[in-house]
Amino acid sequence: MRSETVKKGYQRAPNRALLRSLGVTDREMDQPFIGIANAYNTIVPGHIHLRSISQKVQEGIAAAGGVAFEFGTIGICDGIAMGHEGMRYSLPSRENIADAVELMVEAHRFDGLVSIGTCDKIVPGMLMAAVRCNIPTIVVTGGPMLPGYAAGRELSLIDIFEGVGRVAAGTMSEEELGSLECAAMPGCGSCQGLYTANTMACVTEALGLSLPGCAAIPAVDAAKLRIARESGERAVDLVREGIRPRDIVTPTGLKNAIRVDMALGGSSNTVLHLMAVAREAGIPLDLETFNAVAEATPHICHMQPGGPHSMLALHRAGGIPAILKMLERYLDDAPTVSGRSTLEIAKSAQVTDPDVIKTADAPVNPAGGLKIVRGTLAPDGAVVKCAAVPEAMWRHRGPARVFDGEAAAMEAILHREIAEGDVVVIRYEGPRGGPGMPEMLSPTSALMGLGYARVALVTDGRFSGGTRGPCIGHVAPEAAVGGPVGLVEDGDEIVIDLYAKTLDLIVERATLEERRRAWKPPERRLTGVLARYVQTVEQANLGAVQR
């Protein structure tokens, strides 16, 4: 056991003395030491309940003959950070979390690890740390929030974001929006649809690093406490069996995870996060892999925000095991932390609501929910959540409306300065230009709330998993490093073709070269974390990882 480094031999008497001060007994000195990375805090709805989950994990570890040591990590709520300067800190927090877990694991020589998190960058950061440290690890995701309810219908956070646009359009009063605000988010858990937090939970389970069923169990369901205890027990077994994350996070496991993501129509942010995890594991993974898997995978579950179904509906329909069952012929067998293989889980699962989880022969769409597009506007690629794009907008040609930053675009949208047919371009919001590649849920939701049907949005920033509509993000290279998106001017024609997977700027090359000679990136004074971040962050097509 790794922990013997700090507890065996007379030379380690000082180390043992410190462990004894914690209440560690003689018997426990001979047991596996299991770290618990817990993202609990009282500002993130998806994390406020994680103390109770950690308590069950600790009980499971003790019952299986291990010793639990809990430590904390940070966690940012993207919803609270959305639409202001705070969103610039969200993506950089992913690397901070990975580093924090690594520091604690390596300094204290834990034998195994249980990572407990829920929201957008926390779970990816914990996955990165798991494959980086490569000690036996299991992940417990905290679970989705129950849907809100008002006026005879279920609600989620996106109803509130889109309500802002409806107030601006005059189709909803501020009082009505206030009533929705009070009803939409009824308690703890990650936001109710297949937004980034829940997508990453599903991907983690599909990858094999969570126990079957974990992702979709609601935060308030007692089943979440039971699976937390089982995860604690299983963490000790993983140490004794010598099963490590890199035994599970393999090229096969990653493709299975991407396939489940495509079948669900998950968040575009999974492209960034899975590329980051693959890089930590030393596995080549590029944007074309996502396209190849998408083309070969049917979209079988029409989840919010593009479709009607919440995470609660997915849970009641059988959760990720049921998705695996419907995808069985597309999957390659791979190990999981449960001790059962992916195909063993699939064979034993049941679909309890075929209206929610379709068959592969009668899917929602014949191909997966994400596409990678390329062209003269995005030579190194861009990402679109095609599952949330109306078919009428899969091909679109329109004039550019260019904004250097989200705030300027949001002001124009709310003042109805955008016309149907426009292509809104928001630039200098990429990994370096933002910095931090902020999400654009506020402008995309405002467009929906205002009733626009034929407006596309293109950005070198990101979109929330809650975004729906013709929105293309992660444009690479970004404007701040001289990408073509920085050369676009108002009125330039932009052509989008999701069938052909293309995104083109229709401007003569000589004109672009003339603009390039006159181009200068805007200057931004940065300090602290963001100043360090821009010095090392890669482009979006490489996962926005830090070198």
Side-chain angles (χ1 to χ4, degrees), residues 124 126-132 134-135 137-139 203-210 243-258 273-285 334-337 342:
M126 289 176 167
L127 294 178
M128 291 166 66
V131 293
R132 184 188 300 175
N134 201 34
I135 66 170
T137 300
I138 193 166
V139 180
V203 163
T204 300
E205 184 180 329
L207 187 57
L209 288 177
S210 291
I243 299 173
R244 301 170 183 269
R246 293 194 191 186
D247 298 325
I248 293 168
V249 182
T250 62
T252 298
L254 281 166
K255 282 190 177 180
N256 283 342
I258 295 170
H273 299 324
L274 284 175
M275 291 180 76
V277 173
R279 179 160 169 164
E280 294 285 355
I283 298 171
L285 180 64
T336 77
V337 291
T342 302

Side-chain angles (χ1 to χ4, degrees), residues 76-347:
I76 290 174
C77 178
D78 279 21
I80 295 174
M82 195 75 67
H84 55 82
E85 289 298 302
M87 178 46 70
R88 305 192 188 285
Y89 292 83
S90 176
L91 187 57
S93 76
R94 183 185 70 182
E95 269 68 15
N96 179 290
I97 292 160
D99 290 349
V101 174
E102 177 194 4
L103 290 167
M104 292 297 288
V105 164
E106 297 299 348
H108 299 102
R109 313 311 294 166
F110 293 128
D111 300 303
L113 178 69
V114 181
S115 291
I116 305 173
T118 306
C119 293
D120 296 42
K121 308 309 171 297
I122 294 83
V123 172
M126 289 176 167
L127 294 178
M128 291 166 66
V131 293
R132 184 188 300 175
C133 298
N134 201 34
I135 66 170
T137 300
I138 193 166
V139 180
V140 182
T141 49
M145 187 184 297
L146 295 178
Y149 187 84
R153 68 184 182 95
E154 290 187 344
L155 302 171
S156 77
L157 181 63
I158 305 309
D159 291 287
I160 311 305
F161 272 97
E162 294 185 2
V164 173
R166 292 190 178 95
V167 171
T171 58
M172 177 182 284
S173 69
E174 289 191 46
E175 290 75 18
E176 289 173 318
L177 179 59
S179 296
L180 285 182
E181 173 190 330
C182 293
M185 312 296 284
C188 65
S190 48
C191 302
Q192 300 98 329
L194 194 67
Y195 316 140
T196 303
N198 288 323
T199 304
M200 284 308 304
C202 294
V203 163
T204 300
E205 184 180 329
L207 187 57
L209 288 177
S210 291
L211 291 182
C214 183
I217 298 172
V220 296
D221 195 317
K224 180 62 71 175
L225 298 177
R226 292 194 292 271
I227 206 166
R229 176 170 174 127
E230 291 167 356
S231 297
E233 294 174 1
R234 185 64 189 147
V236 179
D237 293 338
L238 291 172
V239 172
R240 291 175 175 148
E241 295 166 14
I243 299 173
R244 301 170 183 269
R246 293 194 191 186
D247 298 325
I248 293 168
V249 182
T250 62
T252 298
L254 281 166
K255 282 190 177 180
N256 283 342
I258 295 170
R259 204 172 296 282
V260 167
D261 188 12
M262 295 300 176
L264 290 168
S267 168
S268 58
N269 284 315
T270 56
V271 176
L272 290 177
H273 299 324
L274 284 175
M275 291 180 76
V277 173
R279 179 160 169 164
E280 294 285 355
I283 298 171
L285 180 64
D286 58 24
L287 293 180
E288 290 313 309
T289 302
F290 289 87
N291 262 346
V293 175
E295 291 299 321
T297 306
H299 174 208
I300 61 173
C301 193
H302 209 190
M303 300 287 291
Q304 296 173 354
H309 302 307
S310 67
M311 287 296 293
L312 178 62
L314 177 62
H315 169 61
R316 289 173 172 169
I320 297 304
I323 297 291
L324 296 177
K325 187 174 191 67
M326 291 295 98
L327 295 179
E328 187 175 344
R329 70 176 184 256
Y330 299 91
L331 299 171
D332 294 314
D333 212 8
T336 77
V337 291
S338 70
R340 293 189 289 157
S341 72
T342 302
L343 290 182
E344 286 174 336
I345 294 168
K347 290 179 188 301

